[in-house]
């Protein structure tokens, strides 16, 4: 069942700083709150979504610093009409949490797409994220493109 913010969480509820930050990140994205999402990252934080070269990051170096993270939002996240998170499991160790599941993106043309993967969040301490790295395959996600129900 989804919470009020479009997060379908079937994983452990055990508190952990990185897991808690991952959920805060997902809530901000699902609400469309760019300012809250960018503010979760440390000044030197970074996003790699997906990890490696992609249409959002041709060089595959990630988006480093809050200005680049905000630009990533404008290029990738803002294009969605709605985003849901379906998290089946979560593994926390050290200062990181790896969430397993899928991100369902609804587009303005009535279509949707699922990106299955592993989404790794690393805490920088002080309630901030050092990084968010999303391991998913663009071709696999594109193969799920369909009209939304």
């Amino acid at each position: 069942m989804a919470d009020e913010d479009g997060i379908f969480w079937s994983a452990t509820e055990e508190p952990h700083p990185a897991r808690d930050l991952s959920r805060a990140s997902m809530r901000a994205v699902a609400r469309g709150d760019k300012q809250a999402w960018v503010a979760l990252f440390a000044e030197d934080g970074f996003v790699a979504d997906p990890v490696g070269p992609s249409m959002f990051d041709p060089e595959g170096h990630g988006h480093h610093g809050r200005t680049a993270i905000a630009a990533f939002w404008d290029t990738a996240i803002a294009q969605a009409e709605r985003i849901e998170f379906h998290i089946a499991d979560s593994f926390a160790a050290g200062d990181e949490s790896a969430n397993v599941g899928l991100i369902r993106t609804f587009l303005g043309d009535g279509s949707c797409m699922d990106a299955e993967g592993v989404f790794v969040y690393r805490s920088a301490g002080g309630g901030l994220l050092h990084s968010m790295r999303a391991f998913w395959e663009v071709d696999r996600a594109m193969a799920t493109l369909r009209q939304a129900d």
Side-chain angles (χ1 to χ4, degrees):
M1 176 178 286
D3 69 9
E4 68 278 3
D5 291 315
I7 301 169
F8 297 77
W9 187 270
S10 301
T12 180
E13 298 284 342
E14 187 67 28
H16 181 276
R19 182 179 292 128
D20 298 344
L21 283 165
S22 77
R23 293 181 78 169
S25 172
M26 288 182 270
R27 278 192 301 277
V29 170
R31 285 193 320 263
D33 190 340
K34 175 184 174 180
Q35 183 176 9
W37 187 68
V38 172
L40 286 171
F41 289 89
E43 289 291 333
D44 63 346
F46 75 93
V47 170
D49 184 359
V51 169
S54 73
M55 64 280 206
F56 304 125
D57 181 14
E59 305 255 332
H61 298 302
H63 309 276
H64 294 262
R66 286 185 176 158
T67 300
I69 291 169
F72 168 77
W73 175 287
D74 295 339
T75 301
I77 297 170
Q79 305 310 310
E81 183 175 286
R82 183 172 96 238
I83 297 176
E84 293 177 352
F85 296 85
H86 298 255
I87 304 301
D89 216 340
S90 179
F91 301 92
D95 59 0
E96 297 184 83
S97 177
N99 299 332
V100 180
L102 71 84
I103 298 173
R104 182 164 292 148
T105 302
F106 294 85
L107 304 171
D109 66 0
S111 65
C112 68
M113 177 180 70
D114 295 337
E116 293 182 273
V118 178
F119 310 97
V120 181
Y121 297 79
R122 181 176 177 193
S123 172
L128 296 174
L129 282 168
H130 172 265
S131 61
M132 190 285 283
R133 297 176 302 141
F135 295 83
W136 59 277
E137 298 175 29
V138 173
D139 291 343
R140 286 177 61 175
M142 293 301 292
T144 72
L145 189 63
R146 64 196 180 280
Q147 283 302 116
D149 300 331

